[in-house]
Amino acid sequence: LLVAAAGSLRENYVKTRKMKSVYYILNHFSLREGQRVLLGEGWMPTADMNDVRAALLKGGEHSGSAIPPTLEKIPTTEEHPTYHKTNKYTSGYQSLVDAYGVNSYREINPAVYTIATFPFLFAVMF
């Protein structure tokens, strides 16, 4: 019995972690309309709104939901989170800058200056 359980231990571990992750995210949602609708709020770049809407519609179709998902922009007075779009070349420098601290919303991104100066300052050490 234990040999059979040991054979599927890794597979069961992965399934359990995935289920735990799904329930963790679902617990951040709130219920509306007689506990039939899940409502979630989050931040996203305005430029990516159409992509997120398409992903929500695709997920709603795959789940077989009778109620189509909606996406609305909610006005807020809260401070926006900082988001820097990176690619494979700039992500390393952005991670280096973020290790020292993330700049506030609408501040100049110091990673741009790091990209230009870091190689030269590193070369000075040698």
Side-chain angles (χ1 to χ4, degrees), residues 65-118:
S65 175
I67 301 171
T70 60
L71 178 66
E72 298 175 6
K73 188 173 182 179
I74 301 170
T76 182
T77 57
E78 294 180 29
E79 185 175 341
H80 297 72
T82 302
Y83 172 72
H84 301 294
K85 196 167 198 153
T86 60
N87 56 31
K88 66 180 182 178
Y89 302 109
T90 61
S91 64
Y93 292 105
Q94 188 64 52
S95 298
L96 180 68
V97 170
D98 289 345
Y100 288 98
V102 179
N103 55 330
S104 299
Y105 182 67
R106 296 202 183 227
E107 278 187 343
I108 294 175
N109 184 8
V112 176
Y113 304 109
T114 305
I115 291 170
T117 59
F118 184 77

Side-chain angles (χ1 to χ4, degrees), residues 13-90:
Y13 176 75
V14 170
K15 285 181 183 177
T16 304
R17 296 287 293 188
K18 285 181 181 181
M19 286 190 288
K20 187 177 176 182
S21 299
V22 168
Y23 281 111
Y24 176 77
I25 296 298
L26 287 176
N27 283 333
H28 285 88
F29 285 70
S30 58
L31 292 169
R32 296 285 193 267
E33 297 183 22
Q35 299 198 1
R36 296 182 325 136
V37 176
L38 289 173
L39 179 69
E41 295 178 2
W43 295 98
M44 68 176 177
T46 307
D48 294 341
M49 201 163 190
N50 290 331
D51 295 336
V52 173
R53 182 175 283 120
L56 283 173
L57 291 173
K58 185 178 179 183
E61 290 173 2
H62 284 289
S63 69
S65 175
I67 301 171
T70 60
L71 178 66
E72 298 175 6
K73 188 173 182 179
I74 301 170
T76 182
T77 57
E78 294 180 29
E79 185 175 341
H80 297 72
T82 302
Y83 172 72
H84 301 294
K85 196 167 198 153
T86 60
N87 56 31
K88 66 180 182 178
Y89 302 109
T90 61

